[in-house]
């Protein structure tokens, strides 16, 4: 059995961080004797330059045939023209939809050594360990109509928020199942005091909660949730919400951990792969950071932690995933930092490639124990 892994390095710092992450994944394959076949294709701006489209049909087909996808980031000033027909972000939206990647998992764990990197007070963020599950293929991002039009000589624009009960139910079940593996607490976030979509969301959340009596459950309004996340982030275990609210809340939650550069994400699909798990797309949550692209200064840990999620969710290689996570934590404990998290006196500033190498050395050491 051989697993196909689709690699989209993308734009900006994407190739640098994915280069390091890919070596970690290859190491995990070698160590465990699992055969992985890697296929690469351009994505986003890079693909626009080469093929005139952010995602070619061929690249999409390769992705569909794979067990999992490892992705850097897409976009950059070169392709920023809002009037342009071809935008890098369309590649992501199309991949999510075509692959049925309905659940976006964004874990936020504050590592003790990095508490000082957060702009929030140490006593607020110490010990934070939460997970946001964002619905990824519905809501405002995909509802039709979504267009600009001319009405009575005025420009107007419309977007549509649409959710079916099945779309809501499957992501809620996914979140409840995750909560069951963790501290058994789930908060569902909506705007049920105003929006019909949110009222349906809340109704279904309550129905699904009856299937998971062992998980404590509550619904929260998104505006007050935005506040609670900063005021008492430690109280949360798993948070589930719709697409747009999840987009906003996850950037906010990322701030708890200090640097976007550390955080991974997983987008989990409806399809089961040849490994017997759900196919998924794994990417760091940071963007392309064009200002430091090509300088070997980026933080590869978000991409490397995404490899840990890939091993766990799409390949079921839990021991290897744990090894990667432990190695990352130890390297940070030893004081190694990339520029974005260079805090505290007893630290050593390292490059992107050096950080990747340190993690791999740690994996080999830990694995040999
Ligand atoms: C994210 C990003 C994307 C989103 C953009 C780039 C389309 O912000 O993954 O959070 O809004 O989903
Ligand atoms: Mn976002």
């Amino acid at each position: 059995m051989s697993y196909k892994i689709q690699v989209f390095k993308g734009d900006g710092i994407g190739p640098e961080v994915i280069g390091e992450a890919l070596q970690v994944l290859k190491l995990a394959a070698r160590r465990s004797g699992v055969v992985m076949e890697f296929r690469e294709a351009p994505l986003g701006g890079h693909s626009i330059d080469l093929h005139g489209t952010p995602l070619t049909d061929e690249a999409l087909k390769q992705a569909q045939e794979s067990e999992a996808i490892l992705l850097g980031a897409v976009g950059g000033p070169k392709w920023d023209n809002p009037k342009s027909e071809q935008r890098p972000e369309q590649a992501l939206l199309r991949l999510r939809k075509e692959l049925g990647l309905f659940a976006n998992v964004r874990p936020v764990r504050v590592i003790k050594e990095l508490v000082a990197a957060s702009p929030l007070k140490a006593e607020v963020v110490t010990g934070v360990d939460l997970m946001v599950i964002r619905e990824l293929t519905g809501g405002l991002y995909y509802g039709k109509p979504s267009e600009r039009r001319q009405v009575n000589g005025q420009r107007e624009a419309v977007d549509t928020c649409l959710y079916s009960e099945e779309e809501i139910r499957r992501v809620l079940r996914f979140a409840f199942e995750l909560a069951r593996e963790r501290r058994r607490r789930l908060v569902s976030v909506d705007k049920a005091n105003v929006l019909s979509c949110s009222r349906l969301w809340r109704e279904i959340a309550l129905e699904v909660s009856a299937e998971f009596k062992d998980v404590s459950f509550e619904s929260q309004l998104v505006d007050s949730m935005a506040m609670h996340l900063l005021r008492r982030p430690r109280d949360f275990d798993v948070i589930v919400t719709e697409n747009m609210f999840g987009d906003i809340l996850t950037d906010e939650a990322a701030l708890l951990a200090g640097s976007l550069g550390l955080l991974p994400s997983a987008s989990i699909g409806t399809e089961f792969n040849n490994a017997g798990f759900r196919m998924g797309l794994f990417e760091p949550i940071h963007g392309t950071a064009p200002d430091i692209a090509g300088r070997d200064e980026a933080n590869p840990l978000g991409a490397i932690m995404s490899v840990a999620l890939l091993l766990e969710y799409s390949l079921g290689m839990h021991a290897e995933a744990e090894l990667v996570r432990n190695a990352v934590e130890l390297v940070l404990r030893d004081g190694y930092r990339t520029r974005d998290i260079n805090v505290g006196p007893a630290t050593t500033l390292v490059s992107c490639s050096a950080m990747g190498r340190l993690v791999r050395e740690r994996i080999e050491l830990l694995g040999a124990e």
Side-chain angles (χ1 to χ4, degrees):
M1 173 76 82
S2 144
Y3 297 147
K4 291 192 208 61
I5 310 293
Q6 178 66 30
V7 180
F8 291 120
K9 290 183 175 165
D11 307 318
I13 58 170
E16 293 161 66
V17 297
I18 294 302
E20 297 309 315
L22 201 49
Q23 289 191 59
V24 170
L25 186 54
K26 286 180 178 165
L27 177 60
R30 208 162 52 236
R31 286 181 25 86
S32 54
V34 170
V35 181
M36 295 186 198
E37 187 192 321
F38 298 94
R39 299 200 285 190
E40 272 189 46
L43 190 79
H46 191 191
S47 176
I48 292 176
D49 288 351
L50 283 170
H51 304 296
T53 167
L55 173 69
T56 64
D57 292 339
E58 197 199 330
L60 175 64
K61 185 161 168 284
Q62 277 186 16
Q64 278 163 333
E65 290 165 357
S66 66
E67 265 61 60
I69 303 164
L70 184 61
L71 190 150
V74 295
K78 183 173 174 196
W79 308 281
D80 255 355
N81 179 1
K83 294 236 166 88
S84 162
E85 293 270 294
Q86 305 288 340
R87 284 174 290 113
E89 293 75 15
Q90 291 163 341
L92 270 183
L93 298 186
R94 182 155 177 232
L95 272 176
R96 289 171 181 171
K97 194 64 170 180
E98 302 261 0
L99 300 176
L101 304 170
F102 69 95
N104 182 220
V105 182
R106 297 187 169 184
V108 179
R109 235 179 81 230
V110 175
I111 298 172
K112 198 165 84 240
E113 280 72 19
L114 296 182
V115 162
S118 172
L120 295 170
K121 291 196 190 102
E123 63 263 34
V124 173
V125 297
T126 303
V128 165
D129 179 5
L130 59 82
M131 216 169 231
V132 182
I133 314 298
R134 165 188 176 194
E135 200 291 327
L136 205 56
T137 51
L140 273 173
Y141 276 60
Y142 294 97
K144 294 277 180 300
S146 169
E147 65 194 17
R148 258 168 92 123
R149 54 199 182 199
Q150 202 78 15
V151 175
N152 300 331
Q154 293 263 337
R155 286 168 292 177
E156 68 173 36
V158 60
D159 292 293
T160 304
C161 192
L162 174 75
Y163 269 110
S164 73
E165 71 174 280
E166 185 41 39
E167 284 174 311
I168 300 173
R169 194 174 292 113
R170 70 182 176 191
V171 73
L172 273 148
R173 284 204 174 119
F174 184 91
F176 270 106
E177 272 156 21
L178 245 168
R180 198 171 245 175
E181 303 295 312
R182 293 171 46 96
R183 303 196 303 279
R184 294 171 183 258
R185 293 213 305 266
L186 181 68
V187 177
S188 167
V189 179
D190 60 43
K191 187 73 184 173
N193 52 348
V194 179
L195 304 172
S196 336
C197 266
S198 279
R199 281 192 289 275
L200 180 63
W201 183 282
R202 193 172 278 218
E203 194 175 311
I204 294 185
L206 210 59
E207 288 167 20
V208 176
S209 75
E211 300 166 21
F212 295 86
K213 293 228 160 58
D214 52 328
V215 176
S216 95
F217 171 75
E218 65 173 316
S219 285
Q220 280 276 357
L221 293 173
V222 63
D223 46 354
S224 68
M225 187 64 199
M227 187 184 69
H228 293 309
L229 252 184
L230 297 185
R231 184 178 278 168
R232 48 180 189 92
R234 259 195 308 248
D235 290 354
F236 300 102
D237 179 19
V238 181
I239 298 165
V240 60
T241 190
E242 63 93 57
N243 205 345
M244 184 86 224
F245 297 157
D247 180 44
I248 299 166
L249 288 180
T250 50
D251 266 31
E252 188 192 353
L255 184 110
L256 302 167
S259 174
L260 279 180
L262 290 168
L263 297 180
S265 81
S267 301
I268 306 297
T270 44
E271 304 281 325
F272 283 81
N273 63 23
N274 287 328
F277 296 86
R278 285 193 201 249
M279 94 88 70
L281 180 154
F282 302 84
E283 57 180 324
I285 82 162
H286 63 68
T288 53
D291 52 323
I292 59 162
R295 305 209 328 223
D296 198 18
E297 283 180 5
N299 185 347
L301 296 180
I304 290 172
M305 292 295 259
S306 300
V307 162
L309 291 178
L310 185 157
L311 289 165
E312 182 170 335
Y313 284 86
S314 282
L315 302 182
M317 295 167 65
H318 301 286
E320 290 298 323
E322 197 54 26
L323 207 53
V324 173
R325 276 193 286 265
N326 288 341
V328 166
E329 206 152 309
L330 284 174
V331 168
L332 289 170
R333 198 158 293 171
D334 285 346
Y336 294 105
R337 303 281 187 271
T338 41
R339 234 184 46 168
D340 56 315
I341 46 170
N342 190 25
V343 289
T347 58
T348 313
L349 182 63
V350 295
S351 64
C352 176
S353 52
M355 189 58 117
R357 195 173 56 243
L358 283 161
V359 172
R360 292 190 295 279
E361 282 167 10
R362 271 291 178 184
I363 292 173
E364 306 250 34
L365 275 174
L366 281 175
E369 270 172 16

